Amino acid sequence: MDRAVREMADERRVTFGFFGFGLICFHITAILFSVLNLKTASAAVVSIILGVFMLAFYTNTKRIYNRMKIDDGDMQTGQVVIGGYAVGEGSNIQSGLSNADSLSKSEETPEDMQKKVAAAYELIQRMQAKQESTLGTDEVAGGTDDGAPAKRKSFGWGRPSN
């Protein structure tokens, strides 16, 4: 997930760059068209006006870009980290090593890693059990003992569906 977010951020920068390059090319083309097809005085006026527009586009684009910029530290990636191990990346966060390097260069043994994974699975099972106990068995199973469909709880933002 972390890699996907980084790739999308890079793609956003590339797309933004191409958009800006397209605006510059459009205005330069319009200036060159006016120079080729208009008289000198008219071409100068049009070129100055288009130059001012190019400057306005640049300043507004820079303002918008800086306003929408997200620092790497503020970015929410959705990466799952259990016990210092980045699940999606397959790497150990503390050491910064890849999965293959983390087993060979770190002090952590495969047995320690298995213990961490087992602890993570136990945590997931406890969370699922807590969620099921919070929701109740009727809502999870989809019905009651007599075969009638389960009543759905209304959480205040609408009517129950059945």
Side-chain angles (χ1 to χ4, degrees), residues 65-122:
Y65 183 80
N66 288 334
R67 187 181 243 181
M68 298 176 79
K69 185 176 181 180
I70 300 172
D71 294 331
D72 290 337
D74 295 335
M75 193 176 301
Q76 298 283 330
T77 62
Q79 182 180 27
V80 178
V81 179
I82 300 174
Y85 183 78
V87 177
E89 292 288 321
S91 63
N92 195 338
I93 297 297
Q94 283 94 9
S95 63
L97 301 172
S98 69
N99 193 18
D101 293 339
S102 67
L103 293 178
S104 62
K105 294 183 181 177
S106 71
E107 301 84 30
E108 196 169 52
T109 63
E111 291 81 20
D112 292 338
M113 194 66 113
Q114 287 177 349
K115 288 178 185 176
K116 284 186 177 181
V117 171
Y121 282 127
E122 288 175 16

Side-chain angles (χ1 to χ4, degrees), residues 126-138:
R126 282 193 308 244
M127 291 172 64
Q128 287 175 344
K130 183 178 178 183
Q131 183 180 12
E132 288 174 2
S133 68
T134 303
L135 292 175
T137 56
D138 290 344

Side-chain angles (χ1 to χ4, degrees), residues 25-48:
C25 287
F26 173 77
H27 283 87
I28 289 174
T29 303
I31 290 171
L32 291 175
F33 181 79
S34 69
V35 167
L36 291 174
N37 290 326
L38 299 176
K39 294 183 181 179
T40 306
S42 300
V45 171
V46 170
S47 297
I48 290 171

